[in-house]
Amino acid sequence: MPDESLDHFFDRLVSGEPISRRSVLRRMAASGIAVGSASAFLAACGGVEGSSSNKEEVDTSNVNHPKAPIGTLVFSNWPLYIDEKVIPGWEKANDAKMRYLEDYNDNEEFYAKVRQELEQGQGIGRDLVAPTDWMAGRWIDQGYAIPIDKKNVPNAKNLLPSLQNPPFDKNRDFTLPWQSGITGIGYDPTKTGRKLNSINDLFDPAFKGRVSMFSEWRDSAGLVMLGQGVDSSKATKAQCSAAIEKINEENEKGQIRRFTGNDYTKDLAAGNLWACVAWSGDLVQLKADNPNLEFLVPDDGGMSWSDNMLIPQGAKTPYGAETFMNYVYDPVAAGVIAEYVNYFCPVDGVQELVAKKNPELAKNQLIFPDQATLDKLYSYPSLSAADERELTAQMQKVTGA
Amino acid sequence: MSSSGEAAAPRSGGWLTLRRRKSLLPLALVIPGLLWLILFYAIPIVSQLWISLQTGNPDDGFAQTWNWAIYGDSISEYSEQMLRSLQYAGTATIACLIIGFPLAYFMAFKAGRWRNLFLLLVILPFFTSLIVRTVAWQTILTDDSWITNALKTVGLLPQDGRLLATSFAVIAGITYNFLPFMVLPLYASLERMDRTLVEAATDLYASRWTAFRKITLPLAGPGIFAGVLLTFIPAIGDYINAQLLGTSQQYMIGNVIQSQYLVVREYPTAAALSFIMMVVVLIIIAAAARLIGTKKLSEAAVA
């Protein structure tokens, strides 16, 4: 997306400093939403034929991707989600090239862009993509994912135990987490005038018009449910629906200023928002610029999620993709990425490595959460495709579209 | 038939007589344009209509059921956002006209050797992306910005008021983004106006105001009409300003269509809404053309 970089450029102009990972916020979505949409829009305008024919169980017991020349590996990932220093290491070791694209701006949008090719059984010109848990589940259910030949990924043993059996991919047959993160509350104590500790603090009338939530229901409603004492990972459709209704009530009262994508970071940094639903990695980076800001994993709980590496149907070199997965699950490469990205690192053994170079970072609860923090984290509800659609439609109504 | 015509026929390959060639030529000239229209206008519209009448869901597929009811349903469901789009686009167009006319007038008649510089200044914003410019307004209008604070100090804005995330910000954003589309046609029509007509009017004892009203304004008519169309039509479908400068209470029909296509994946609803908006716009243009006259409309198109 050309405008992605323009937006970064603009940020740099405003802040008057050279681009660095500290001054540029990850996933500047303002541009992502708008520009990405235009192309996806065109893609979506084509036909809408049925896709049910694709649904068949993929046999994952006997996957075999023998060693073969890789050529060029194409990876579509979220913007600012890698330290590109690590890529040449893999290229050298495998005598291959990587085309690293930062064109995964939004789960639904990326899906809308490639949907037609997938439905027709074609490849999408990528060997790796990075959908979030629930979206990875959709790709797997629709039969759009190629199972991983685990013989090629011995380092997968380094995956943190808490991430080994997600509901959408019970044995990690199709996916490996790229990075994980926590959805909680980002706030500025100097504006709110007090420390927050619960999700329900977002509904304090004193913060009217100074609060934002994500327009995507899974994070927003998930947190609200935790505030209502409901375990989000086991939530029923009715409970999700009730949580969305609660958000609707607060919105109609004027409590919620906006429903955002990643662009909340700008409003939070500018002081337009006092408290909002936020992603942990963003706050690590925002704090570097504005130390007043705090990230809270609420006492009621926070949501945890991963963006997952997944090999899409029609990939030219599944073997190449697997060698790359293996490479980034080596703690050394994973450490380089973790230091740059600031989300929580799914690879075991990285914390010790980072501690030697950068002890401050190794103590950061948001990158290397301890057991007490992990115990407070819940995953997204797992519902049927039809239920998810209805809830998406309900949330879109609440957000005015 | 003269003998020269008969002689030409065998040279050009048998059946293609001069007369036939003469009658085929206009057709040949129109074919590229016609193909273009069919390929990029007629087919997409038919396909959109086709999709809008389907029912189903994105995971199991959609099937054609000739569900005409969707048009009524979409209108009643999203009438709020449709009316808001018309209202915002209308307000912004009027604002553009009020700001743009004096500017175009100044550029055409008073700017002298600075004229090209002003033209450049009007076009200059196009050198940057629309989104970057709109995001810049986010920064300018923040709650703690000097503009907001100044307005609060003089009492134009209540103490807990805000500029960003309001209808004001959205309409101002649309006005700002579409201003060049208004100024340029206005400038074009004013610039080629014969100034001696105004002199003649004042010689015949018309006041300056009367001369402006009776001479300048009617002659600028096609430019005004073109400017209004060029501003109003894209402004109706705009969703970037509402997205970046507004809240869910300011979303326009473009935001709904975007979300129906890309988030909810209800393609029939999205197609129906797009179709309805297109028809509404066509009706408005037709009504305006009636009002102003088709002759002026074609003049406007030339301008």
Side-chain angles (χ1 to χ4, degrees), chain B residues 112-281:
Chain B
R113 64 196 175 96
W114 300 107
R115 180 186 286 184
N116 285 338
L117 176 71
F118 276 97
L119 262 181
L120 180 73
L121 287 178
V122 169
I123 303 171
L124 206 59
F126 285 131
F127 289 26
T128 342
S129 132
L130 167 75
I131 289 142
V132 172
R133 281 181 279 137
T134 313
V135 171
W137 278 104
Q138 273 187 338
T139 313
I140 295 168
L141 297 177
T142 49
D143 291 7
D144 296 331
S145 72
W146 64 268
I147 297 182
T148 320
N149 288 331
L151 287 176
K152 279 180 185 167
T153 312
V154 299
L156 281 173
L157 203 66
Q159 276 311 311
D160 59 345
R162 63 186 194 214
L163 283 177
L164 196 63
T166 60
S167 332
F168 171 80
V170 178
I171 295 173
I174 298 174
T175 307
Y176 162 77
N177 277 316
F178 288 96
L179 189 61
F181 294 106
M182 180 65 89
V183 172
L184 293 177
L186 281 178
Y187 168 78
S189 69
L190 286 172
E191 197 263 336
R192 62 181 183 176
M193 195 183 109
D194 188 353
R195 288 284 282 165
T196 54
L197 290 173
V198 178
E199 272 171 39
T202 46
D203 281 354
L204 294 170
Y205 299 104
S207 68
R208 282 181 156 266
W209 167 242
T210 313
F212 174 78
R213 203 161 43 89
K214 298 248 176 180
I215 310 287
T216 312
L217 214 51
L219 284 175
I224 295 176
F225 189 62
V228 166
L229 285 189
L230 281 177
T231 313
F232 185 68
I233 295 171
I236 285 184
D238 181 86
Y239 63 93
I240 289 172
N241 288 287
Q243 174 98 54
L244 296 180
L245 304 174
T247 71
S248 55
Q249 272 91 36
Q250 275 84 41
Y251 276 3
M252 297 165 67
I253 197 67
N255 302 85
V256 177
I257 296 173
Q258 191 250 6
S259 131
Q260 291 292 321
Y261 260 122
L262 296 177
V263 183
V264 188
R265 291 181 297 147
E266 270 299 327
Y267 306 114
T269 311
L273 285 170
S274 310
F275 209 82
I276 293 166
M277 274 330 276
M278 200 168 60
V279 172
V280 169
V281 167

Side-chain angles (χ1 to χ4, degrees), chain A residues 3 6-7 10-11 14 30-31 33-38 40-41 44-52 55 106 108-109 111-113 115 119 138 142 191 208-210 251-252 254 256-259 263 266-267 270-273 385-386 389 392-393 396-401, chain B residues 47-48 50-51 54 57-63 77-78 81 84 128-132 135-139 141-144 152 160-165 239-240 242-249 251-252 254-268 274:
Chain A
D3 283 271
L6 268 177
D7 204 18
F10 177 76
D11 254 35
V14 172
S31 63
I33 296 166
V35 183
S37 307
F41 206 84
C45 290
V48 272
E49 303 309 320
S51 55
S52 50
K55 279 184 195 162
D106 180 289
E108 291 283 8
E109 213 173 270
Y111 185 72
K113 267 196 266 193
R115 178 186 56 86
E119 276 175 15
R138 188 188 291 172
Q142 296 277 4
K191 300 255 185 194
K208 186 179 170 192
R210 303 293 191 162
N251 186 37
E252 282 178 353
I256 297 170
R257 182 190 181 103
R258 289 180 74 199
F259 290 96
D263 44 337
K266 212 163 222 150
D267 274 335
N272 298 335
L273 294 173
R389 276 199 314 275
T392 303
Q396 285 298 305
K397 284 241 100 145
V398 172
T399 62
Chain B
S47 139
Q48 198 181 32
W50 177 259
I51 289 169
Q54 296 179 336
N57 70 62
D59 293 320
D60 304 320
F62 292 88
E77 187 93 328
Y78 296 106
Q81 283 91 341
R84 190 181 289 141
T128 342
S129 132
L130 167 75
I131 289 142
V132 172
V135 171
W137 278 104
Q138 273 187 338
T139 313
L141 297 177
T142 49
D143 291 7
D144 296 331
K152 279 180 185 167
D160 59 345
R162 63 186 194 214
L163 283 177
L164 196 63
Y239 63 93
I240 289 172
Q243 174 98 54
L244 296 180
L245 304 174
T247 71
S248 55
Q249 272 91 36
Y251 276 3
M252 297 165 67
N255 302 85
V256 177
I257 296 173
Q258 191 250 6
S259 131
Q260 291 292 321
Y261 260 122
L262 296 177
V263 183
V264 188
R265 291 181 297 147
E266 270 299 327
Y267 306 114
S274 310

Side-chain angles (χ1 to χ4, degrees), chain A residues 36-115:
Chain A
S37 307
S39 48
F41 206 84
L42 292 175
C45 290
V48 272
E49 303 309 320
S51 55
S52 50
S53 53
N54 287 316
K55 279 184 195 162
E56 32 190 278
E57 274 300 300
V58 178
D59 181 21
T60 54
S61 56
N62 191 18
V63 186
N64 193 16
H65 297 146
K67 187 172 172 151
I70 294 168
T72 301
L73 181 77
V74 187
F75 184 6
S76 274
N77 204 350
W78 298 80
L80 298 174
Y81 220 15
I82 193 173
D83 185 342
E84 299 209 17
K85 286 205 300 272
V86 302
I87 294 177
W90 171 83
E91 286 181 332
K92 245 177 233 147
N94 292 280
D95 189 25
K97 280 258 159 271
M98 168 166 281
R99 253 186 85 210
Y100 185 80
L101 308 172
E102 298 194 325
D103 61 352
Y104 200 104
N105 272 307
D106 180 289
N107 277 305
E108 291 283 8
E109 213 173 270
F110 190 86
Y111 185 72
K113 267 196 266 193
V114 297
R115 178 186 56 86

Side-chain angles (χ1 to χ4, degrees), chain A residues 298-317:
Chain A
D299 293 345
D300 341 73
M303 308 295 295
S304 80
W305 46 265
S306 306
D307 292 329
N308 301 279
M309 292 184 278
L310 177 150
I311 309 173
Q313 143 194 311
K316 287 218 178 62
T317 168

Side-chain angles (χ1 to χ4, degrees), chain A residues 109-376:
Chain A
E109 213 173 270
F110 190 86
Y111 185 72
K113 267 196 266 193
V114 297
R115 178 186 56 86
Q116 277 186 307
E117 283 135 326
L118 292 172
E119 276 175 15
Q120 285 159 14
Q122 298 167 0
I124 57 170
R126 273 103 174 161
D127 303 292
L128 270 178
V129 292
T132 307
D133 296 333
W134 55 274
M135 180 54 80
R138 188 188 291 172
W139 284 63
I140 296 167
D141 289 345
Q142 296 277 4
Y144 298 154
I146 294 178
I148 298 169
D149 180 353
K150 294 181 181 173
K151 297 189 291 298
N152 292 332
V153 198
N155 285 342
K157 65 175 192 303
N158 295 333
L159 177 61
L160 288 179
S162 59
L163 294 169
Q164 276 169 4
N165 307 96
F168 62 91
D169 187 9
K170 294 248 160 44
N171 302 313
R172 289 282 178 197
D173 289 326
F174 295 91
T175 59
L176 268 180
W178 170 256
Q179 296 287 302
S180 300
I182 304 169
T183 311
I185 291 173
Y187 74 109
D188 186 342
T190 60
K191 300 255 185 194
T192 58
R194 66 183 176 94
K195 276 197 110 45
L196 307 187
N197 45 42
S198 160
I199 292 141
N200 295 314
D201 286 338
L202 288 179
F203 304 134
D204 182 338
F207 311 151
K208 186 179 170 192
R210 303 293 191 162
V211 171
S212 80
M213 285 192 153
F214 292 147
S215 55
E216 206 271 304
W217 65 272
R218 287 172 187 85
D219 278 321
S220 302
L223 282 181
V224 170
M225 279 191 281
L226 293 175
Q228 293 169 335
V230 177
D231 177 349
S232 63
S233 57
K234 297 187 187 107
T236 62
K237 185 194 160 202
Q239 286 168 321
C240 296
S241 185
I244 296 175
E245 188 44 44
K246 165 79 177 160
I247 296 172
N248 188 34
E249 276 168 32
E250 294 296 335
N251 186 37
E252 282 178 353
K253 277 194 254 167
Q255 179 74 13
I256 297 170
R257 182 190 181 103
R258 289 180 74 199
F259 290 96
T260 66
N262 311 280
D263 44 337
Y264 75 93
T265 51
K266 212 163 222 150
D267 274 335
L268 188 62
N272 298 335
L273 294 173
W274 294 356
C276 61
V277 174
W279 284 313
S280 55
D282 287 338
L283 261 289
V284 175
Q285 298 187 351
L286 283 170
K287 254 174 103 82
D289 290 333
N290 179 356
N292 283 338
L293 296 177
E294 290 291 340
F295 183 83
L296 168 75
V297 180
D299 293 345
D300 341 73
M303 308 295 295
S304 80
W305 46 265
S306 306
D307 292 329
N308 301 279
M309 292 184 278
L310 177 150
I311 309 173
Q313 143 194 311
K316 287 218 178 62
T317 168
Y319 168 75
E322 283 150 4
T323 56
F324 187 72
M325 289 180 183
N326 194 48
Y327 175 72
V328 294
Y329 265 76
D330 180 271
V332 178
V336 176
I337 297 172
E339 276 189 71
Y340 177 91
V341 177
N342 298 162
Y343 271 92
F344 102 60
C345 176
V347 182
D348 213 4
V350 171
Q351 190 170 13
E352 292 76 18
L353 272 177
V354 170
K356 279 182 214 149
K357 272 199 298 184
N358 193 342
E360 258 326 287
L361 198 71
K363 274 186 249 156
N364 192 325
Q365 278 302 302
L366 300 181
I367 301 171
F368 302 106
D370 59 21
Q371 200 52 43
T373 310
L374 286 175
D375 287 343
K376 282 204 284 182

